[in-house]
Amino acid sequence: MATGALTLPDGRLLSYAFSTAPPNGPVVLLANSLLSDHTSWDRVVDRLVAHGFRPLRFDQPGHGRSSAPPDLSSTTFSSLADDAAALLAHLGLSRIHAWVGVSMGAATAVYFSARHPGIVNRVVICDTIAASPIRAGVRDVFGERVAVARREGSLNSILEATLDRWFGQAWRAAHPQETARMRESMRTTTVNGFETCCAALQSPEFDLDPLLDKVAAGTEDALLVVGERDADLPVRMQDMRAKIQQGFAQAGKKIDVELKVVKNAGHVCFVDGFEEFCEEVLSFLQK
């Protein structure tokens, strides 16, 4: 495993991990959710490598060893997509086999496909909302959580509440090792990193709807995956699937876009739905 940190044009560090084996394997980029670093994917990486793929991961701003920008309100999904483009250019990757993104990592995949078409062959979009609270006309939970973190001076209570929301207390009690592993991944997030990524999720710019048809123009195939217990996303992502399907039809590509629901899994379905997630994603990547 090769790890490194790219200095971006604005001086920020973007940390990444790139599997050295298999050296000629198809590259699969794994993009994180809010409040976790690239180690959250460790088990998935092992499975991908075992099937001949070469995983690439990076940390969101202020997560892991990536630094947050001085202006914490400046991060958008467009800027996150451009960060990923800079990383691929740094590594000399003009094309990759797939982008697998969960939550904000999935939203970034949609923006990347629109802004940098023709680089990602296949995209896997998992457990993502489609728009910021102001766009969707719903309560701004991100602003509320940032306010709590600033008031408390740490992410401790946010972290534990997020673990409960993602996995539930029963799953945590039954899987203490995985819970501890995810907690350690989450603890690498700084308060500044949390706030800057929440800024992207809160931004009036964040709206996937006008970009979904561009997924077809920018990629060759798409799969949507969602945890069965991830609030109302199994229903909401059906609409997202239909719009991406329509985009492929308009582009003249005969692609059957599917939405796979991972049983008994929550928001980070590659953790509590690991086996089924890997089965669905590997089947798609090996088509």
Side-chain angles (χ1 to χ4, degrees), residues 102-144:
V102 170
S103 192
M104 69 178 294
T108 307
V110 175
Y111 273 81
F112 186 94
S113 299
R115 293 173 68 82
H116 305 280
I119 295 177
V120 176
N121 289 342
R122 300 168 184 238
V123 65
V124 182
I125 299 168
C126 311
D127 297 89
T128 184
I129 58 175
S132 61
I134 194 170
R135 283 278 190 177
V138 298
R139 173 183 157 205
D140 181 9
V141 295
F142 303 111
E144 294 171 5

Side-chain angles (χ1 to χ4, degrees), residues 146-197:
V146 169
V148 169
R150 286 297 175 196
R151 184 172 63 250
E152 296 180 353
S154 79
L155 291 172
N156 290 340
S157 66
I158 296 293
L159 187 154
E160 292 303 323
T162 300
L163 280 169
D164 273 341
R165 189 169 60 254
W166 283 359
F167 305 121
Q169 293 187 1
W171 187 90
R172 291 177 63 182
H175 300 86
Q177 186 173 350
E178 271 296 272
T179 299
R181 187 180 71 84
M182 286 302 297
R183 183 184 287 110
E184 288 306 305
S185 171
M186 296 164 79
R187 280 178 174 163
T188 68
T189 307
T190 65
V191 174
N192 281 353
F194 183 69
E195 181 171 341
T196 196
C197 288

Side-chain angles (χ1 to χ4, degrees), residues 239-253:
D239 183 56
M240 192 180 300
R241 186 213 63 80
K243 290 174 179 175
I244 294 174
Q245 179 73 72
Q246 184 179 35
F248 276 109
Q250 291 171 344
K253 299 177 181 179

